[in-house]
Amino acid sequence: MTLARLAALHGVATSYSPSPGRTVQASDAAVVAALAALDVDASTPDAVDAALAERERALRERLLPPTVVLWRASRELPEGEPPKGEAAPEPLRALPDRTRFHLRTEQGDTLAWDAPSPPPPLPLGAHRLRATTPDGAVAEAHLLVAPSRAPEPRARAYGFLVQLYSLLSRRSWGMGDLGDLAELAAWAGRSVGAGFVQVNPLHAAVPAPPGGSSDPSPYRPSSRRFPDPVHVRVEDVPEFARLRGAARQRAGALLERGDGLRRSVLRDGRLIDRDAVWAAKAEALELAARVPLGPGRCAAYSDFLAERGDALEAHATWCALAERHGPDWHLWPAPLRDPASRETARARGELMDRVDFHERLAWYVDEQLAAAQRAARDAGMGIGLVHDLAVGVHPDGADAWAQRRHFAVGMSAGAPPDAFNAHGQDWNLPPWRPDRLAESGYAPFRELLRATLRHAGAVRIDHVMGLFRLWWVPAGRPPTEGTYVRYDAEAMLAALVLEAHRADALVIGEDLGTVEPGVREALRERGVLGTSVLWFERDWAGSGGSEGAGSGRALPPGEWRADCLATATTHDLPSTAARVTGEHVTLRHELGLLTRPPAAERAEAAAEVREWLALASRLGLLRGGGHEEDEVRAVHRLLLATPARLVGVWLPDTVGDRRPQNLPGTLDAYPNWRLPIAGADGRPVSLEDLTASPRLHALLDVFREFRTGPSRRACRGPGAVP
């Protein structure tokens, strides 16, 4: 009981409920390891007693928590009515009368008031608060003042979901790039009325080790704060166009190499080779970086360096050191493992040319991301680009090095065993320490959100439940031997809503799978949209609302939630064509992933599809002869018949692609994250061919009357057919 009490006071769970009515106890070893990662010694009974006494004393004597949240009402005031102060947050109300509060705002202003008066009108932002009680006790805290809700969609919209690397045009160098993204957005907005394009995380990847290959997963990045220069369209870099002489000749040879990489994928059917693409682009960008900047370009670059500041310098320093010592900073000389050491500062000076090169690369990507979002908005998209924020970073990468004090040593984020994976999951991503986040006023999280939203109309938060709690797995142990560690969800949401408000961007939470009770309600209260995938939308609760009491029937469109992005599939799931034909079962059988006989799996999958198509037929949404394309269109009519504020179309679905981009449970057995978009025959499809595809336009006829913008006709309600 003493260990349980100590764990609870540090947000470490000693049990969890994978399903209603079932409780699983976490092992003492997992709890002790999680506490150790928070610098709490619970290794012996005496250590537990001492740590508990210390924690209880600290909480008893603490006047304020490290971070306090104030939600500012977003209501509009009547004309002429002056703004009023908001009610004080509970931690401030708990202090005695005549406590004096001094606030230093992030804008540099100073405000003061005395308890029990409410605070004066406070600006949005992350501020520093000092409280002095009548008896002279002093406490300081961060104060996050956030709008009560994130921005909401101004109109119902549909858009495309795509893994950018898979979208090759006739100009790309072997994988999709930011020029392709701009082209897709311009076409989608102008030609078919789409309101957004959602892409995979574009975060910087960990470079390949000598003689090896890089991790192709966009969900295990080196840095979430900076995008990867592999996405740059080299020809659109102004300095590349100014190359002359021998450099111009070499550039021509690299252009030819890029053409060859593209042909190897689109014509020869080879897999996307990210490392080969980067080798060619890196050499080309080295040439461009040697071209002196003109006065205007130099000023723009200086502004970028000033804006991104220390974070960019640290990222570029890691990149330069990784070139010299390898991509795993744990194996660097000991002094260089500390980003703040004198040796690291000395090495940065010695490598300044390389540091500047990597800063220049970050600038090139930033410019092209801005151009892609501008192209989307110029094309009439109400949202534009939707960027994906991965749940964590690679333990060997730049963020884990530069921000190492904020990560839990010896821990990996993952998921406990559930109905989908009896062994649990270990993502090999170091989790953030909740205590260090709170002590910093959630500065790393706010900085990350600000970077992600620089050129975006919305952000998708991968595994949004991680704002509330994460499953921590001790190093060297299986995922079954982990435990949950809780975060201050109110503060995490305040940081998220604040940065979304500043960027005027929507927030979409990926809330699929097992979700703790109350999480979806809390997200909805703060304006965070959820994610609904058609095949998972079933009536598990029933009309009485109790979990497990329902029939599990396919949920009719009118009963779906409205505050969500509704889709037919995701990058981790079968394409719609594969699902309606049953080919996804065949693929899993060939890879040895089935846990039951193939006939049983096929029968269950076919029954599921028949149920949904029968629902579509009853609603008049299944038309034609019931062939594959008719069924795919019926699935999307079902999505449009829901009240969902956003509807997403998986871009490979538009041409009948059979293959998932990622097949969980496989490593080398399946080419995860390396497949170009392909047609029903398996042949790769270029961006140009895709946008001219009769199959695509037949599917988009379903969306013909479904357009973005306040002047367009909105959904006619559940069950309505556009």
Side-chain angles (χ1 to χ4, degrees):
M1 291 298 294
T2 305
L3 177 62
R5 170 68 176 160
L6 176 64
L9 292 180
H10 286 279
V12 177
T14 54
S15 65
Y16 69 100
S17 297
S19 59
R22 180 168 173 250
T23 299
V24 177
Q25 295 297 320
S27 70
D28 285 354
V31 173
V32 169
L35 287 169
L38 297 171
D39 296 330
V40 178
D41 182 5
S43 58
T44 66
D46 287 345
V48 170
D49 290 340
L52 179 59
E54 172 59 25
R55 181 63 171 169
E56 289 178 333
R57 181 200 62 77
L59 291 174
R60 187 170 55 250
E61 297 177 358
R62 187 178 75 179
L63 294 177
L64 290 172
T67 296
V68 178
V69 172
L70 189 156
W71 295 104
R72 199 172 78 180
S74 55
R75 62 185 182 277
E76 293 292 333
L77 294 172
E79 186 175 353
E81 182 177 329
K84 299 176 181 178
E86 304 289 346
E90 193 279 330
L92 273 58
R93 296 198 305 272
L95 294 177
D97 289 353
R98 294 187 295 113
T99 293
R100 184 69 171 170
F101 296 106
H102 290 270
L103 187 76
R104 181 72 172 176
T105 72
E106 68 174 36
Q107 294 84 6
D109 299 321
T110 302
L111 300 171
W113 70 96
D114 294 323
S117 299
L122 300 178
L124 298 175
H127 315 306
R128 285 293 290 169
L129 178 69
R130 182 183 178 91
T132 306
T133 65
D135 61 4
V138 177
E140 292 192 354
H142 299 273
L143 178 63
L144 299 183
V145 182
S148 60
R149 291 177 62 83
E152 299 182 11
R154 294 181 176 87
R156 201 176 188 222
Y158 94 95
F160 295 107
L161 320 178
V162 63
Q163 300 280 294
L164 180 57
Y165 59 82
S166 71
L167 181 71
L168 284 75
S169 74
R170 293 171 189 163
R171 292 185 60 190
S172 9
W173 290 24
M175 62 181 283
D177 61 33
L178 291 171
D180 298 325
L181 179 58
E183 286 288 336
L184 174 66
W187 166 81
R190 296 181 189 279
S191 298
V192 296
F196 62 89
V197 174
Q198 178 182 303
V199 295
N200 57 286
L202 303 183
H203 309 319
V206 176
S213 58
S214 62
D215 185 344
S217 172
Y219 291 93
R220 279 169 48 80
S222 171
S223 174
R224 294 187 292 175
R225 298 185 294 172
F226 294 94
D228 199 305
V230 76
H231 300 112
V232 165
R233 173 165 286 178
V234 172
E235 301 94 313
D236 290 349
V237 174
E239 287 69 42
F240 185 78
R242 292 176 52 205
L243 292 171
R244 297 292 182 269
R248 180 72 258 172
Q249 289 183 331
R250 183 57 192 156
L254 291 169
L255 286 167
E256 286 294 325
R257 192 198 300 181
D259 288 343
L261 290 168
R262 180 185 64 254
R263 288 193 299 269
S264 74
V265 176
L266 292 180
R267 186 188 66 191
D268 303 334
R270 295 181 184 173
L271 297 176
I272 292 168
D273 187 342
R274 177 195 178 96
D275 293 331
V277 173
W278 176 236
K281 286 190 175 183
E283 186 176 349
L285 293 171
E286 292 268 11
L287 295 173
R290 295 176 193 149
V291 176
L293 297 174
R297 293 279 290 164
C298 187
Y301 182 42
S302 296
D303 285 348
F304 176 75
L305 293 175
E307 186 176 2
R308 301 311 308 272
D310 293 341
L312 176 58
E313 184 177 66
H315 175 72
T317 299
W318 182 91
C319 293
L321 289 171
E323 290 176 335
R324 174 171 288 186
H325 300 289
D328 183 354
W329 62 270
H330 299 90
L331 303 179
W332 294 355
L336 299 182
R337 298 172 202 165
D338 181 359
S341 72
R342 271 185 264 179
E343 290 82 357
T344 298
R346 186 180 304 115
R348 181 185 301 115
E350 294 170 357
L351 297 170
M352 189 50 65
D353 285 349
R354 299 308 300 166
V355 172
D356 182 72
F357 172 65
H358 289 288
E359 290 175 333
R360 182 83 70 96
L361 293 182
W363 179 46
Y364 290 154
V365 188
D366 190 76
E367 287 189 313
Q368 293 193 8
L369 278 170
Q373 174 66 351
R374 192 162 53 246
R377 299 306 289 267
D378 288 349
M381 286 190 170
I383 299 170
L385 303 184
V386 181
H387 287 298
D388 196 347
L389 180 61
V391 70
V393 296
H394 198 290
D396 302 339
D399 284 1
W401 175 76
Q403 298 180 313
R404 66 178 192 167
R405 73 177 305 273
H406 287 98
F407 290 100
V409 177
M411 288 288 158
S412 174
D418 57 25
F420 301 100
N421 192 326
H423 302 291
Q425 300 175 57
D426 182 348
W427 302 327
N428 193 25
L429 305 170
W432 264 333
R433 286 182 53 159
D435 56 336
R436 295 275 173 84
L437 284 177
E439 290 166 5
S440 71
Y442 295 82
F445 186 44
R446 290 185 285 109
E447 176 195 346
L448 171 59
L449 292 166
R450 199 172 305 129
T452 305
L453 291 167
R454 280 176 65 83
H455 308 299
V459 60
R460 173 192 180 269
I461 307 292
D462 188 37
H463 192 70
V464 72
M465 297 82 79
L467 301 181
F468 296 76
R469 63 178 185 175
L470 271 177
W471 185 256
W472 285 20
V473 181
R477 307 305 304 166
T480 52
E481 297 182 24
T483 190
Y484 276 114
V485 175
R486 191 162 293 282
Y487 295 76
D488 184 343
E490 183 180 41
M492 297 286 276
L493 285 171
L496 175 59
V497 171
L498 174 63
E499 296 304 332
H501 170 83
R502 286 171 158 167
D504 192 23
L506 310 179
V507 180
I508 303 164
E510 186 271 297
D511 57 352
L512 302 174
T514 302
V515 183
E516 183 184 13
V519 167
R520 287 196 175 107
E521 293 77 6
L523 293 170
R524 184 168 60 247
E525 180 185 4
R526 297 304 170 197
V528 178
L529 303 175
T531 301
S532 292
V533 176
L534 181 132
W535 312 100
F536 301 156
E537 291 297 307
R538 293 187 170 274
D539 180 22
W540 298 116
S543 57
S546 60
E547 191 71 25
S551 63
R553 66 189 171 106
L555 196 65
E559 299 179 28
W560 286 38
R561 56 180 171 170
D563 296 325
C564 73
L565 165 66
T567 71
T569 190
T570 73
H571 57 268
D572 285 333
L573 296 172
S575 70
T576 306
R579 194 177 287 271
V580 300
T581 60
E583 291 185 27
H584 65 302
V585 178
T586 301
L587 175 62
R588 293 179 63 81
H589 172 56
E590 292 172 349
L591 294 173
L593 298 176
L594 298 184
T595 58
R596 296 184 299 167
E601 294 278 358
R602 290 192 183 96
E604 182 177 295
E608 180 183 39
V609 170
R610 282 198 304 272
E611 182 184 9
W612 280 103
L613 293 178
L615 174 60
S617 182
R618 289 196 300 273
L619 295 173
L621 306 179
L622 178 58
R623 305 166 191 168
H627 299 298
E628 174 193 318
E629 291 189 49
D630 300 323
E631 293 171 346
V632 171
R633 287 193 286 271
V635 165
H636 288 85
R637 290 192 186 100
L638 277 170
L639 295 176
L640 288 176
T642 74
R645 306 288 296 276
L646 303 177
V647 175
V649 181
W650 177 237
L651 193 62
D653 273 349
T654 64
V655 289
D657 199 340
R658 298 301 204 257
R659 308 162 305 174
Q661 283 294 312
N662 178 51
L663 190 57
T666 62
L667 292 174
D668 297 332
Y670 186 80
N672 296 309
W673 317 114
R674 290 174 287 167
L675 293 169
I677 294 176
D681 59 0
R683 295 176 62 84
V685 177
S686 70
L687 172 60
E688 292 83 358
D689 291 338
L690 182 144
T691 56
S693 164
R695 178 164 180 157
L696 173 143
H697 286 281
L699 176 58
L700 294 187
D701 280 345
V702 172
F703 295 83
R704 194 163 36 187
E705 295 182 5
F706 182 65
R707 296 291 188 259
T708 59
S711 64
R712 310 288 174 85
R713 187 165 68 182
C715 173
R716 291 174 286 171
V721 183

